[in-house]
Amino acid sequence: MNTTGIVRRIDDLGRIVIPKEIRKTLRIKDGDPLEINISNENIILKKYSTLEDIRDVFKIFIDKISVLTAKNILICDRDKIICGAGGDIESFVGKNISNDIYHFMEERKKEYVNNTMLSLTDKKEINSHFIFSSMITNGDVVGGIVFFGDDEVHEMDKVFLNLILDIFVKYIEE
C-alpha cells in the first residue's frame, strides 16, 4: 500500500474529502461510484466497475463475434481493459487503458473509425484499423468497446459493435 502522507478529518456528517491530486491521478470524477471494503482495521475505497461484474457472461459472446468478424475485440471500463477476444488479447486484460481510449470515452465517441496508430494501454500501441464506441448507460459513460485488425473496418463490423453495445447496455440497465 502506498502512503501519501495526507491526513483528512471526517466532518460532522461522516464525510471525508479525497484530495484533488489523488482523484486526478486515479481518474475519479464527481458521481463516480466507489466500493467500500474493510480489511482488519483499514477502510479501503475502490473504484467500482459495473462491467467487471458481467465480464464472464459476455466473454463467450465476444469470442464468437471475434471469430465471425476476424477482428480483435476489447471491452474496457473507465480505467482498465476488462475482457477481450481474438489474437493475443488476453495479455491486455487487467491493464490500464491508454489516454487515447480514455479521451474517446470522455468525448462520448460512437462508431469512431480510424486507420492509424492507437494506444490501447500506456505501454502498448497498435498500428491498425479500428472502430471505437463508448458504452453509455443511464446517461453515464461506463466503458468502451474497441474492434481492431489488419483489415479495414466494414459495415458489418459496425453492426456487430452496435449489437454488443445494445446487449451490454440493456443487461446493465436491467
Side-chain angles (χ1 to χ4, degrees):
M1 180 184 326
N2 297 337
T3 58
T4 62
I6 299 171
V7 176
R8 292 285 194 246
R9 294 194 184 278
I10 295 176
D11 70 11
D12 55 345
L13 294 176
R15 297 176 297 198
I16 187 168
V17 175
I18 300 170
K20 185 176 183 177
E21 308 83 48
I22 293 174
R23 286 180 288 149
K24 184 176 180 182
T25 301
L26 296 177
R27 295 178 177 164
I28 298 172
K29 301 230 184 278
D30 292 349
D32 282 354
L34 297 176
E35 185 176 339
I36 303 170
N37 296 298
I38 298 172
S39 175
N40 299 325
E41 292 186 17
N42 297 312
I43 299 170
I44 301 165
L45 297 177
K46 180 183 172 199
K47 290 179 75 174
Y48 176 75
S49 171
T50 307
L51 298 181
E52 275 192 40
D53 292 343
I54 62 173
R55 168 185 41 221
D56 297 337
V57 174
F58 286 98
K59 176 68 172 121
I60 297 166
F61 181 60
I62 66 170
D63 282 342
K64 300 293 183 201
I65 291 182
S66 175
V67 170
L68 287 171
T69 61
K71 294 278 194 266
N72 299 304
I73 303 171
L74 292 177
I75 310 290
C76 55
D77 64 14
R78 293 179 54 81
D79 297 308
K80 63 183 178 243
I81 297 169
I82 62 158
C83 188
D88 183 30
I89 297 305
E90 288 303 314
S91 64
F92 294 105
V93 175
K95 304 271 194 286
N96 289 336
I97 61 170
S98 68
N99 284 333
D100 289 346
I101 293 175
Y102 182 77
H103 290 301
F104 291 160
M105 282 189 271
E106 286 294 295
E107 295 170 7
R108 297 173 165 257
K109 296 264 188 197
K110 294 285 265 179
E111 283 192 23
Y112 176 71
V113 179
N114 207 325
N115 298 311
T116 61
M117 186 73 75
L118 172 68
S119 294
L120 297 173
T121 68
D122 51 0
K123 295 184 173 122
K124 180 69 175 173
E125 288 185 340
I126 56 164
N127 190 4
S128 183
H129 302 276
F130 72 91
I131 181 171
F132 173 87
S133 192
S134 298
M135 195 177 310
I136 302 170
T137 63
N138 299 317
D140 296 324
V141 176
V142 295
I145 300 175
V146 184
F147 272 45
F148 64 96
D150 295 332
D151 297 339
E152 288 185 25
V153 173
H154 299 100
E155 284 304 310
M156 210 55 182
D157 297 326
K158 293 178 184 180
V159 169
F160 279 116
L161 178 122
N162 283 307
L163 173 67
I164 293 171
L165 272 173
D166 290 347
I167 292 171
F168 266 62
V169 169
K170 180 97 55 194
Y171 190 88
I172 291 169
E173 289 179 345
E174 288 181 354

